[in-house]
Amino acid sequence: THKNYAAGQAHFHQWCMAKRISLRRRDCIPEPILCAYAAAMAGVCSGGTARSRLAALHYWHDKYGLDWKGSPRLHRILKAVTLATPAASKRDECPPVTEAMLDEALRKLDPQRPFDVCAAAAMLTMFWCQLRLGEILSQTRRYDFKALPSVKGLRLRADAGGSLDRVTSALWLPRTKVERSGVWVWIAKHHNDPSFALQDHIVVNRLRDDNPLFAYRHDDSDDLIPLTRGAFLGRLNEIWSAVGMQCVTGHCFRIGGTTALLRAGVDPEVVKVAGRWKSDSFLRYWRALDHIISSHV
């Protein structure tokens, strides 16, 4: 977010220089200039890009305690910019991970190899819990226990190796994109059950309570290594590309899990709560809408 905001502010300053507009650094940007800036992006970039750049300026005003001069006219201009989005600026929809892709990965991942067992557990947990990649996997091998889950934050249900009073598995996420103070995520039963995959992963990789939840034993040295986002996606995309399936990014798991639950007939409000969606924004991530409509009708 900070990187995008810095790019948005830099773009605005370049536009001001090109238009020979001089602004004092600690003064709020006048409304006519904001509108002119927004209008200049019509036919040049997408409405989402324009809004992101305006959001960067809004953040800058908030940071320095300045009044934001956004107005109804600015919102109307942004709508017009969206309508004028050039074809080259429109991105293809992010593809979902599918249940067929999960099945193919589970067939190819080696149940005797610690890395593959860890990857399988992370894959199923991310998919069925509608998780974001950064909520459970580290970007590097330096593990931040204040932001990522540890083994002691996992509560397996009774039939998956947990205490007898547990009927549903749960996972404590210390921090998410929205819940900065942490949140419990519930892990329901599925035919590719994340709870059993997590139990197997903990046994195979000999994890202790104070270890990262998604870490694996090195094949040769037996050192415990946190599973990184790059290694995780690289292994799965290697499997899927070899059989002609699409390559994916981390967000594709969240989209795929949402779509799979809706296709299974789960009430959209339940999907919304389970996925910790704070608004109805998850509706734009629905895929296979024809199947979803049929299942609910």
Side-chain angles (χ1 to χ4, degrees), residues 68-79:
W68 174 245
K69 300 298 183 180
S71 65
R73 178 168 63 166
L74 178 61
H75 289 296
R76 289 196 296 271
I77 291 173
L78 287 173
K79 287 183 180 179

Side-chain angles (χ1 to χ4, degrees), residues 131-144:
L131 298 180
R132 301 175 182 90
L133 183 66
E135 292 174 341
I136 62 170
L137 297 185
S138 176
Q139 191 165 1
T140 67
R141 289 187 177 180
R142 291 187 60 187
Y143 201 81
D144 184 1

Side-chain angles (χ1 to χ4, degrees), residues 23 43 93 95 104 127 142 182 194:
L23 295 172
E93 286 188 334
E104 181 64 26
F127 183 87
R142 291 187 60 187

